[in-house]
Amino acid sequence: MSTLQPSPPSLDRLDDSDEPELIVSVVIPCLNEEANIERCVTTALAVLSEHGIPGEVVVADNASEDRSAALAAAAGARVIHEPRRGYGSAYLAGFAAARGRYIVMGDADLTYDFREIPRFVAHLDEGAELVMGDRMDQIHPGAMPWLHRYVGNPVLTGILNVFFRTGVSDAHCGMRALRRDVLPRLDLRTTGMEFASEMVIRASKEKLKISEFPIEYHPRGGESKLSSFRDGWRHLRFLLVHSPTYLFMLPGAIMLLLGALISAVALLQINVFGREWDLHTMVAGSLLMIVGVQIVALGLCAHAYGTYFMNEKDPWFDRMRARFRLEHGLILGGLTTFVGFVVAAAIVIVWIQRGFGQLSEERLAVLAAALVITGLQIFFTSFLLSILGLRRRLPGEH
Ligand SMILES: Nc1nc2c(ncn2[C@@H]2O[C@H](COP(=O)(O)OP(=O)(O)O)[C@@H](O)[C@H]2O)c(=O)[nH]1
Ligand SMILES: [Mg+2]
């Protein structure tokens, strides 16, 4: 680990006073933690002074109904009051009040060892912009319930890494550190426990330098504020709504392909599993195809929303819109609809030729309907995408 060197004056100082620059703000969110908060604050302050790190401890109190706030202040913390509930709300208030160049985060429940602060600081000194603790190999007995240890944490961290490729081992670790000057880029907004995921995802989208190292996780003093299913769902919901590719595009594309395949099997009466497939299969295949196109369309609109309205970097969508224009979508949609009408016309011609008698072209009729519907979906979605992007053309685009 690097030694802690005196730092050059930072540009992000909040005031012009001649006070020495604070290097570290330890920010601790606190909701009814009177059993633990005092020790958290005193340990953090002691570690800072032992290592000669100019710093402060900010306790973001979430309207605790016990003596937490008073105990924290008496122990030497600067206490910030945030009436709005939620782990994220507490941190956002604490961050706004922090003055240090670095922010070290940790729960007020004695699960994390604040004596690790200098290691986090050392990683930041070495150039990391976000430093994550990784608890997974050093969880003390009774520190993490079985459900979180073997289901919640690995599953949610796994999904997060598939969706956003962050490479972080323990996305919910509450002890972490970051440079305060990256906060505007992170633009964090969530109010609940999903704040932990938001920070990692935003950091990876902004391509921050993320480092991690193993830390210990101790059993909690006092009562946990986490509700497994409510907070687990809040995390999952956050991951899904921030990943149109995995929420819409992938499932939609799979449905579309599967639907097309099933329709083809029914239409061409291909023998699969020793029997031929007929009208019912055709209906199922076509429905799947229509729903697939619809979901892909929603995904494209979600990508457009992220790019145009949320200013998100979305290289995939940028490539798409560099290649495809409104007119491409209109032609594709128009042609698909046209082919649908041609199939429908063919059925009518056959009917006329048969003297308006009994007709058994149901599969073709379903195909015609599916083509007309998907064609119209493509046609009008193209217009909607164009409307969403009206004010944000690529350079050179008209
Ligand atoms: N869940 C929750 N935690 C809060 C809130 N405000 C502050 N906290 C603090 O956030 C930290 C994390 O909560 P905790 O119960 O330890 O959850 P866990 O570490 O995920 O099991 C603790 O220090 C809480 O005191 C809040 O409104 N909700
Ligand atoms: Mg905790």
Side-chain angles (χ1 to χ4, degrees), residues 138-217:
Q138 297 182 70
I139 299 173
H140 287 242
M144 199 186 280
W146 185 93
L147 185 67
H148 300 177
R149 168 77 186 86
Y150 295 104
V151 185
N153 232 324
V155 168
L156 287 171
T157 299
I159 294 175
L160 184 137
N161 279 324
V162 169
F163 284 14
F164 305 99
R165 307 195 188 289
T166 67
V168 161
S169 312
D170 180 11
H172 309 102
C173 183
M175 189 159 192
R176 34 179 96 184
L178 70 161
R179 293 185 59 94
R180 192 161 62 90
D181 59 9
V182 301
L183 282 175
R185 281 165 70 196
L186 291 182
D187 190 21
L188 301 167
R189 292 152 188 255
T190 52
T191 57
M193 282 288 180
E194 69 280 12
F195 185 81
S197 295
E198 183 186 29
M199 182 180 272
V200 179
I201 292 167
R202 291 287 308 132
S204 107
K205 283 197 174 176
E206 285 295 317
K207 307 234 179 313
L208 295 195
K209 274 181 233 124
I210 305 178
S211 76
E212 65 176 18
F213 63 88
I215 60 168
E216 293 181 26
Y217 192 57

Side-chain angles (χ1 to χ4, degrees), residues 329-341 375 379:
L330 298 183
I331 290 169
L332 179 67
L335 272 180
T336 311
T337 309
F338 178 73
V339 173
F341 278 120
F379 190 87

Side-chain angles (χ1 to χ4, degrees), residues 67 157 243 382:
R67 292 179 305 139
T157 299
S243 180
S382 305

Side-chain angles (χ1 to χ4, degrees), residues 70-84:
L71 291 172
R78 193 148 61 86
V79 179
I80 303 300
H81 298 280
E82 171 53 70
R84 282 163 299 186

Side-chain angles (χ1 to χ4, degrees), residues 15 84 121 210 212 272 276 312:
D15 56 10
R84 282 163 299 186
V121 172
I210 305 178
E212 65 176 18
V272 182
E276 279 180 1
E312 279 176 9

Side-chain angles (χ1 to χ4, degrees), residues 42-248:
T42 48
T43 311
L45 285 173
V47 170
L48 291 176
S49 91
E50 275 165 31
H51 287 79
I53 306 172
E56 61 173 353
V57 174
V58 176
V59 168
D61 185 69
N62 241 185
S64 292
E65 283 137 12
D66 63 6
R67 292 179 305 139
S68 296
L71 291 172
R78 193 148 61 86
V79 179
I80 303 300
H81 298 280
E82 171 53 70
R84 282 163 299 186
R85 275 287 147 89
Y87 174 80
S89 301
Y91 263 124
L92 288 173
F95 287 178
R99 293 174 303 188
R101 185 201 304 177
Y102 302 150
I103 291 174
V104 178
M105 306 161 52
D107 286 3
D109 55 6
L110 298 175
T111 48
Y112 300 101
D113 186 352
F114 285 105
R115 277 171 303 205
E116 299 279 15
I117 290 171
R119 286 174 78 197
F120 282 91
V121 172
H123 276 250
L124 293 168
D125 275 343
E126 283 161 13
E129 291 169 295
L130 172 66
V131 188
M132 298 287 302
D134 168 16
R135 305 166 292 178
M136 296 324 266
D137 295 326
Q138 297 182 70
I139 299 173
H140 287 242
M144 199 186 280
W146 185 93
L147 185 67
H148 300 177
R149 168 77 186 86
Y150 295 104
V151 185
N153 232 324
V155 168
L156 287 171
T157 299
I159 294 175
L160 184 137
N161 279 324
V162 169
F163 284 14
F164 305 99
R165 307 195 188 289
T166 67
V168 161
S169 312
D170 180 11
H172 309 102
C173 183
M175 189 159 192
R176 34 179 96 184
L178 70 161
R179 293 185 59 94
R180 192 161 62 90
D181 59 9
V182 301
L183 282 175
R185 281 165 70 196
L186 291 182
D187 190 21
L188 301 167
R189 292 152 188 255
T190 52
T191 57
M193 282 288 180
E194 69 280 12
F195 185 81
S197 295
E198 183 186 29
M199 182 180 272
V200 179
I201 292 167
R202 291 287 308 132
S204 107
K205 283 197 174 176
E206 285 295 317
K207 307 234 179 313
L208 295 195
K209 274 181 233 124
I210 305 178
S211 76
E212 65 176 18
F213 63 88
I215 60 168
E216 293 181 26
Y217 192 57
H218 301 271
R220 190 189 208 297
E223 241 176 66
S224 174
K225 311 294 177 304
L226 185 87
S227 146
S228 302
F229 290 99
R230 193 198 60 204
D231 290 313
W233 165 240
R234 287 182 74 112
H235 277 282
L236 183 61
R237 187 179 74 175
F238 184 85
L239 301 184
L240 289 171
V241 301
H242 285 79
S243 180
T245 303
Y246 285 91
L247 180 61
F248 298 109

